[in-house]
Amino acid sequence: MKILAPALLSLTVLTACATPSSTPSAPTMAEPAAAVTGAVFWRERIMLPPTTKVIVRLQDVSLADAPAKLIAEQVIDGVRVPPAKFSLAYDPATIAPNARISVSARVEVDGKLRFISDTHIPVINGGPTEGVPVLVVGVAQ
């Protein structure tokens, strides 16, 4: 037992030293433990200008006749051709088991809407969290 105790202590110290430390981006908030990942696509075979922004949102759309509650958002600048890969981090503890969570996307060129998702894309509760495809359709100019 006397030989085992120093070995366990050494192993504990080495494990603590080997674990990389991470600096949180916001000291008041804990880092989210999960993410919804995927890609935004559009069918048109065009190259968009470098001023293009793809905005992807993770929202709780549970309440009818009420604005969706924003859970996470990612803005991707300079996307000229699809796919635009995204990763929306969220805290699973804030998601109710019966919540309707959805991903939506829009593509803006010089601040004007060019493409938008027009279908409900369920994720997390009753939907995937990885490899989520988001098809956006063109809007009238």
Side-chain angles (χ1 to χ4, degrees):
M1 184 69 179
K2 289 182 181 182
I3 296 174
L4 187 59
L8 287 175
L9 179 62
S10 298
L11 183 61
T12 304
V13 170
L14 287 175
T15 304
C17 292
T19 305
S21 64
S22 63
T23 306
S25 56
T28 59
M29 294 179 59
E31 285 295 317
V36 173
T37 62
V40 177
F41 298 92
W42 51 91
R43 289 191 178 127
E44 290 78 356
R45 293 180 174 253
I46 57 172
M47 183 176 285
L48 297 173
T51 56
T52 302
K53 285 185 181 184
V54 177
I55 303 163
V56 187
R57 292 184 176 130
L58 182 65
Q59 298 174 313
D60 183 343
V61 295
S62 300
L63 299 176
D65 298 330
K69 177 184 169 196
L70 183 64
I71 299 169
E73 180 178 79
Q74 182 179 7
V75 177
I76 309 161
D77 291 311
V79 177
R80 301 188 72 187
V81 295
K85 296 186 186 256
F86 64 86
S87 179
L88 300 166
Y90 69 95
D91 182 3
T94 63
I95 307 293
N98 61 343
R100 291 184 60 219
I101 309 299
S102 178
V103 170
S104 64
R106 57 189 292 129
V107 178
E108 296 178 356
V109 177
D110 296 323
K112 295 179 182 173
L113 184 62
R114 180 70 174 88
F115 296 97
I116 193 163
S117 56
D118 65 348
T119 57
H120 172 70
I121 304 167
V123 292
I124 303 173
N125 296 339
T129 57
E130 296 178 357
V132 178
V134 180
L135 179 64
V136 291
V137 296
V139 298
Q141 294 294 315

